[in-house]
Amino acid sequence: MALPNHIRSAFRIRRKVKDQVADDVDAEIRFHLESRTEELMAQGRNRREAERRAMEEFGDMPGAKRRLRAESARSLRSVRRLEWLAELRQDARYGVRKLASQPVFAAVAVLTLALGIGANSAIFSVVHAVLLKPLPYSEPDQLVSIWEVAPTGDNHNVVSRGNFMDWRDQALSFETLGAYGSSGGVTFYPDNGAPTRVRVSFLTPGVFRALGVSATAGRTFTPEEGVPGNDAVVVLSHRFAQNQFGVGDVVGEAITLDGDRYSVVGVMPPSFDFPQPDVDVWAPWALDEEDRQNRRSHNLMVIGRLKPGQTLERAQAELDALAAGITELYPEHMTGWGVNVQPFRADLVASTRPLLLLLLGVVGLVLLLACANLANLLLARAVARQREVAIRGALGARRGRLVRQFLTEAGLLAVLGGGLGLAITAVGLDAFVALAPDDIPLLDDTRVDPVILGFAAGATLLATLIFGLLPALRVTGADLENTLRASGARAGTAHTRVRSGILAAEVALAVVLLIGAGLLLRSFLQLQQQDYGFDRENVMTATLDLPFARYSDGTVDHVEFYEALLARVASIPGAISAAGSTDLPAGFGSMTFSFAIEGRPRPGPRPREEPQPLRIVTPDYFHTLRIPLVEGRFFTPYDDETAPDVLIINESLARVHWPDESPVGKRVSFEGQEGPWLEIVGVVGDTRHYAVDAMPSPALYMPHAQKRWDWTSWLNVIVRTDGDPVALAPSFRAALWELDDQLVPGRIASLTDLYAETNARRRFAGILLVVFAGLALILGTIGVYGVLSYTVAQRAREFGVRIALGAPRGAVAALVIRQGGRLAMTGIALGIGAAFWLSRFLESLVYGISTTNVGVFVGVPLLILVTAGLAAYQPARRATRVDPVQALRAE
Amino acid sequence: MDLLKGTLDAMVLKTLSWGPMHGYAVTRWIRRRTGGTLRVDDAALYQALHRMERRGWLESEWGVSENNRRAKYYMLTKVGREHLAAEVKSIRRYTTALFKVLEAEAA
């Protein structure tokens, strides 16, 4: 359709630059030739001759056309660019005015978006740090973790020293293999000042070489320092070196840890945080040929660097072959054991990955919901402008130009919301990370960097397209004729359908999030109410290692030391009783031992039963934790080294090995069928020892006074109190220092706090889900309210007619409520379906109930229905108040 | 006679300094003033018009001509006026210098 130019320009309707230019150039030249021809004819030439002459004078016609077109196209484009910017400015100014005139709408929109974008950026920065960003080691993809596969099927079992040494010395797939243990606390004695606890990580020199890191000052360990006798050396963390020695050169200094002297050979860069961020000191884990014989105690984690070009599969195959050889040499210990090689990064974050992806999904849903809400709000506003849009469209305005105008407005909101969201992220990220469970690896690397900025910008852009494009396309694509012909009120019905669709999706999203939150809340209640098998309240715990050097030379008797300490602690005002144990509840786990049962020889290469956790405790342990006695007796102070060796087992273990008889009086041995024997004197109740969500599991207890191994000298302290357990800490320290003022207790915490830490991931996910589900509920309510209010306004005339014809006002209200109910029900049905499918991703976090728990799947929809009802109340009331006279006159 | 470089632009700008004109009027005006001494291709003249429009010396607008046809009118912009003044000055300097040599009397 060719439009007159002035109309085109009045409505700023454009054509393609190329066509426009070609037409203009042709017209200009045609005008020139015609004018010249006429002039020549007026001078008396005939038309033919005049035309020929005019052409001649013009010169190179095709060349001129080509050059003129190129020249004009360039100027036209730059004009249009300027115009485009001017239009953008104009649209933006218009948008700003529009927003400023509706400050509440603007504030709600910007805040919703800011929360959505902020939450997404925050979660994504964690995801980026933990799952995506390359590890700060050279060629991190070559790094692998190696575990043993236990006969129980556990494929992440720690590795025995002998096996590690064989792999290290024989496997050809690796450039380097290194091993490290779990890091622990030691006491650091500064040359002047009070002793403090520091965290030390023991590792073989190969770890540094496998990671490919070097010290900033001095060096890391040499292979020779990984052998007993040469291992009195340490490498310090940057932080520890700074705090203790300031800026000076510490290499060559000597420091005292637990009474031993170590010389400092190097300082690591500040960024080095292997195997965890809070390590102060690295010391060699020295191994010699005696260790090579040890195939029984598993306590090493192994990291390796593959040779270039070597694959994980071939490394796995090589270690499988080695393992088979090892099993042949040590059938007693190694039958049934295997090897598991994993990519290091993936292995490190394997347990965290589902949690983070879940959270990313949740905040993604929230952003989607925020966008849906905004789309609905913008759509309502767009409909009001529909006639203007339709007229411009009828006059040929490009749809793109109209869409752009809507998008500019949406973009304005998005930029404000996205900017605010990013600001929220930047300010709140540290607090957010602090809320996250400590056991997420690499979490400390979380920061706002260009990648996060890019993500936020991308999310903002995407959000704009989602909530801006839909109203724009909807309005500009509307059937022109109908819009123009229809009255303003009727034009809205098609949009109401779209809005209702969006709203149903909103309700569905809210249902999904609320069901997730509900499942986690139910799990929480379940965990609070469950029976732990003992009383967790009002118990103080303290970790306590005695400095090896001063307590291992025979001058101090550990049993006497702890007896004296516990007696003092138990007499502190506020303490009810005190006990010691090798491992605290909710702690890192227990040493496990295999044992033989008297009179039940096992055929085959493994002469003993499956290993089970062994806790070495003082007599008051059961009394202090209030673990009930089921059969037999507790330990007494008379169960000492002069008395016959005794054991207590729990019900689970009794069920496994003595299902039909009493275990009391039965004897077991940690060696074999030739003894020495320990007699079971009691059976106690099961406990959920390891974590809030641990099932009760078998355990053996041994009196500390009858300990059989040196390393079992160390006990942690458990105190039952009559009030706030942590308030006892100062008195506890005082009691400790009365015995030895050089001792430093490790961590003092209440038992309930220790258990809460084992629940940190669930709590983190739970808090976020509850917050976001609440947000979803609010957004959904606003959505329902908005759509219904809009409907009432649209149908005011119809309602007026109904009322005028005698319909009871209640029936009119019912119409509105029914519409709200229909919307909510559609959303709920969709949401339940989606939640049914999605709740499987909560499997690892939901505890004690099914992920399709009926209570939650019924309760949440009811909550939504009630909320939708509340949201519908106000619009429904408004519908009954429609004045028939006014409504009819308004047309 | 062929044109010296740069003089066509100056002539077109000067022509338009009397007021807005369409391209044909510009060619007619120059042809009449020079009495046909200077050979100017219409093609070259239009190219000059378009080039100067892109440079911002001229502006154009479609209008209706004296014989009632749609024609593209050019007008001088402020930048174009300044450019014309500068151009006239430099051509004058050039020709003055040239004639000082060409018409020199024997000393």
Side-chain angles (χ1 to χ4, degrees), chain A residues 135-143 209-213 305:
Chain A
L135 293 173
Y137 310 121
S138 68
E139 292 173 56
D141 291 345
Q142 295 292 101
L143 292 174
R209 275 181 294 137
L211 294 174
V213 290
R305 176 175 289 279

Side-chain angles (χ1 to χ4, degrees), chain A residues 105 327 529 592 754:
Chain A
F105 163 78
T327 303
Q529 291 161 358
T592 60
L754 292 186

